[in-house]
Amino acid sequence: MFAYLLINFVLALIWCFLTETFTVTTFVIGNLLATGVLFLSRRLLGEPVFFRKLGVFVKLLVVFTREVLVANVQVAWWILRPRLRVQPAMIRLPIALETDAAITALAGMISLTPGTVTVDVAPDRKSLEVHCLNVPDIAATKAGIKEMFEKPLRELER
Amino acid sequence: MTEWLIVVLLIVGTAFMVTSSVGLVRLPDFYMRMHGPAKAATLGVICVLLAGVVYFTFEQDYFSIREVLAIAFIFITAPVGAHMLTKAARHIGVKFHDQTRIEK
C-alpha cells in the first residue's frame, strides 16, 4: 500500500520534470496519470489489493460527504422547527477495528457527521461512546454507522 | 454566473452558522449544545471558504491553495475539539438532560 503511494508520487514528480512545470496542477495531473499507469500494469506488479482499496476509499469518501450534507440539513431542521423535540441518547457502539488509525478515523468521522459526537473510546478499544442529538431508534443508528463507516474502514485496514 | 455561485455559497454557509447559534440557545443540555458549533465549523465555514476559492479562482485568476488547506485543517480539528470538550464534560460529570437514554 505504502510502496504504491511512493511510486505514485515519484512518477508524478517525473511527470513534473518531463513537462518542466512545477505547479500544483501538474503534480495532480501527474498523480492521476501515475495511478492510470499503475492500474494498467497492476498484474505485473502483482498486488491488486491497492486498487480494491482505492475503490473502497473513494466510495467511503463519497458516502461520507453525502452523509455530512444530509445530516447537516437534518440537524438544522431539528434545531429550527417550531417545537423542539429531540430524543438524545448516549450509545455504546461496539467496534471491530484493530489499528489505532482506523479507530481514530472512525471516531473523527462520527464527530464530523452532524448529530453524533464521539465521547470516549473504551479502555479495551472494543467500543466507542457516542452522543446522539436525536435518535428515535438506537439500533438503526448503530447499524447505519457500522454499515457506512466501519465496514469500509475494516477493509482498508487489512 | 460565478457571482451567483459565490452568493449561494455565502448564503448557505451563513445560514448554517446562524442555525447552529440558534441551536446553542434552544438545546437543553451541554452535550446537545456541543452538536451545534461542531457542525457550523464544518459545513458553514466550508461553504464560506469555498466561496472564497471560487472568487479568487474565477474573478482574480489566482488559485489559492491556502483556502483549500484551511478546509482540510478544519476537517481535522473540528471533531477533535468537539470530542475533547464532550469527554471533559463527561469526566467532570456534567448532567445529562432527563430524557437522555444512556447505554452502559
Side-chain angles (χ1 to χ4, degrees):
Chain A
M1 182 79 195
F2 184 68
Y4 260 93
L5 285 177
L6 204 65
I7 298 173
N8 220 328
F9 280 135
V10 170
L11 285 178
L13 267 183
I14 292 175
W15 173 256
C16 286
F17 278 110
L18 278 175
T19 54
E20 284 191 336
T21 38
F22 296 91
T23 59
V24 181
T25 331
T26 336
F27 190 66
V28 170
I29 293 172
N31 267 306
L32 292 178
L33 286 174
T35 314
V37 169
L38 285 175
F39 180 70
L40 289 175
S41 55
R42 65 192 178 283
R43 279 194 304 192
L44 278 178
L45 297 158
E47 207 192 332
V49 191
F50 176 71
F51 289 99
R52 218 196 55 224
K53 280 192 176 179
L54 193 68
V56 172
F57 181 71
V58 171
K59 199 171 151 234
L60 177 64
L61 218 59
V62 171
V63 167
F64 174 60
T65 314
R66 196 199 59 206
E67 204 49 35
V68 168
L69 293 178
V70 169
N72 241 313
V73 175
Q74 234 171 20
V75 169
W77 165 237
W78 291 337
I79 290 173
L80 291 179
R81 66 182 164 188
R83 260 192 74 230
L84 192 68
R85 251 192 347 271
V86 286
Q87 297 167 279
M90 193 78 167
I91 63 178
R92 187 163 279 287
L93 182 80
I95 51 171
L97 297 169
E98 270 143 38
T99 55
D100 284 346
I103 295 174
T104 313
L106 180 67
M109 285 198 291
I110 289 173
S111 293
L112 271 174
T113 314
T116 51
V117 169
T118 314
V119 179
D120 214 347
V121 184
D124 61 357
R125 301 198 290 174
K126 291 276 190 296
S127 63
L128 292 179
E129 257 186 308
V130 180
H131 186 271
C132 305
L133 182 57
N134 187 7
V135 276
D137 183 358
I138 291 180
T141 309
K142 279 188 187 171
I145 295 175
K146 280 190 111 51
E147 177 65 31
M148 278 186 298
F149 299 152
E150 196 194 342
K151 229 174 76 183
L153 275 176
R154 215 154 52 208
E155 267 177 69
L156 283 177
E157 87 180 336
R158 253 183 309 196
Chain B
M1 189 56 216
T2 42
E3 209 165 287
W4 278 100
L5 185 62
I6 296 168
V7 168
V8 168
L9 279 171
L10 281 178
I11 289 177
V12 171
T14 40
F16 273 113
M17 289 184 197
V18 170
T19 310
S20 75
S21 321
V22 172
L24 217 53
V25 176
R26 289 190 79 191
L27 292 170
D29 80 353
F30 173 81
Y31 299 93
M32 283 188 251
R33 282 197 292 273
M34 212 37 247
H35 289 285
K39 270 76 241 189
T42 53
L43 210 58
V45 176
I46 283 165
C47 280
V48 172
L49 282 171
L50 274 180
V53 172
V54 172
Y55 174 74
F56 281 111
T57 312
F58 293 104
E59 305 279 317
Q60 309 268 319
D61 286 326
Y62 159 72
F63 179 73
S64 143
I65 193 79
R66 262 172 297 176
E67 273 175 304
V68 180
L69 270 182
I71 293 177
F73 279 122
I74 283 169
F75 250 92
I76 298 168
T77 52
V80 178
H83 167 65
M84 288 321 286
L85 280 171
T86 334
K87 189 174 173 171
R90 189 96 164 95
H91 272 283
I92 58 172
V94 174
K95 289 251 183 332
F96 284 99
H97 185 245
D98 313 332
Q99 281 158 15
T100 310
R101 290 150 293 163
I102 301 171
E103 282 188 342
K104 282 279 169 269

